[in-house]
Amino acid sequence: MPGILQTEPYIRAIIEGDDVDRQTAVRLDRQKVIDRPDGPELNFILSESALRRDLGDRATMREQLSHIATLANRPNITIQVFPLDAQTYVTSSYNFITLRFGQEVASDVVYLETFTDADYLDSPEAIRAYNRLWGRLQAAALGPAESRRLILRIADEMK
């Protein structure tokens, strides 16, 4: 689940170690960017398996899923779900973020977070490959309205 979409209880459920309060505060502070009037346009494809994975207790997951469904109503946020039964060879197991600065594709950078570090890819070949992958994932994912209904249905199952 992308950090910018996480609720405080969900963040606390996934962070380990002694620095939970600081890490939670930092993540919540980063989320303020989506509340700005000039906030960024954000597009997400979430794996259905991530939505069904219990992290924390059921109340935490229900709140997290309801939060995502609420964010999906914002005009600058598009959330799609890659269903478990997607009929495609593309999987949703690739975690990446494409950052676009301005309108030009030439400014794109792909951000890959690893367990201990992060990589930034800016070569035209890498950008093209990840843009193609994004297109395939988007084509195989449910539409935004269907995705929101599925998210709410999964949240309801958590009761």
Side-chain angles (χ1 to χ4, degrees), residues 72 77-81 141-151:
I77 299 177
T78 301
I79 297 176
Q80 291 179 263
V81 174
L142 300 175
E146 294 169 294
S147 295
R148 186 172 186 282
R149 283 193 295 274
L150 177 59
I151 292 166

Side-chain angles (χ1 to χ4, degrees), residues 10 16 23 41 64 68 79 91 113 124 128 142 145 155:
Y10 186 90
E16 297 176 355
Q23 289 184 52
E41 182 178 324
Q64 176 62 47
I68 291 171
I79 297 176
T91 70
E113 190 172 310
R128 277 193 298 277
L142 300 175

Side-chain angles (χ1 to χ4, degrees), residues 4 6 8 12 19 38 49 53 58 66 70 95 110 116-117 120 128 130 142 151:
I4 201 161
Q6 296 171 357
E8 183 173 347
R12 290 183 177 282
D19 207 14
D38 65 336
S49 63
R53 188 172 298 119
R58 293 178 81 71
S66 295
T70 299
N95 293 323
V110 173
T116 59
D117 202 358
Y120 294 89
R128 277 193 298 277
Y130 277 93
L142 300 175
I151 292 166

Side-chain angles (χ1 to χ4, degrees), residues 6-128:
Q6 296 171 357
T7 61
E8 183 173 347
Y10 186 90
I11 295 167
R12 290 183 177 282
I14 63 172
I15 292 178
E16 297 176 355
D18 300 328
D19 207 14
V20 173
D21 291 335
R22 187 191 67 76
Q23 289 184 52
T24 301
V26 167
R27 192 163 293 183
L28 292 172
D29 193 50
R30 283 186 197 142
Q31 292 178 3
K32 291 177 183 175
V33 71
I34 64 176
D35 293 325
R36 294 189 335 218
D38 65 336
E41 182 178 324
L42 302 170
N43 297 285
F44 301 93
I45 299 174
L46 306 177
S47 171
E48 182 179 346
S49 63
L51 302 175
R52 293 186 178 279
R53 188 172 298 119
D54 284 340
L55 295 169
D57 57 22
R58 293 178 81 71
T60 296
M61 286 305 299
R62 197 170 43 252
E63 179 183 346
Q64 176 62 47
L65 295 171
S66 295
H67 176 67
I68 291 171
T70 299
L71 291 174
N73 281 329
R74 293 188 179 194
N76 63 321
I77 299 177
T78 301
I79 297 176
Q80 291 179 263
V81 174
F82 189 89
L84 293 172
D85 63 354
Q87 299 290 314
T88 181
Y89 65 92
V90 177
T91 70
S92 61
S93 62
Y94 303 103
N95 293 323
F96 66 96
I97 298 171
T98 301
L99 304 167
R100 178 164 290 159
F101 304 96
Q103 299 299 319
E104 297 299 319
V105 175
S107 70
D108 287 2
V109 174
V110 173
Y111 171 76
L112 302 170
E113 190 172 310
T114 65
F115 183 65
T116 59
D117 202 358
D119 290 317
Y120 294 89
L121 309 176
D122 61 359
S123 74
E125 299 81 24
I127 300 300
R128 277 193 298 277

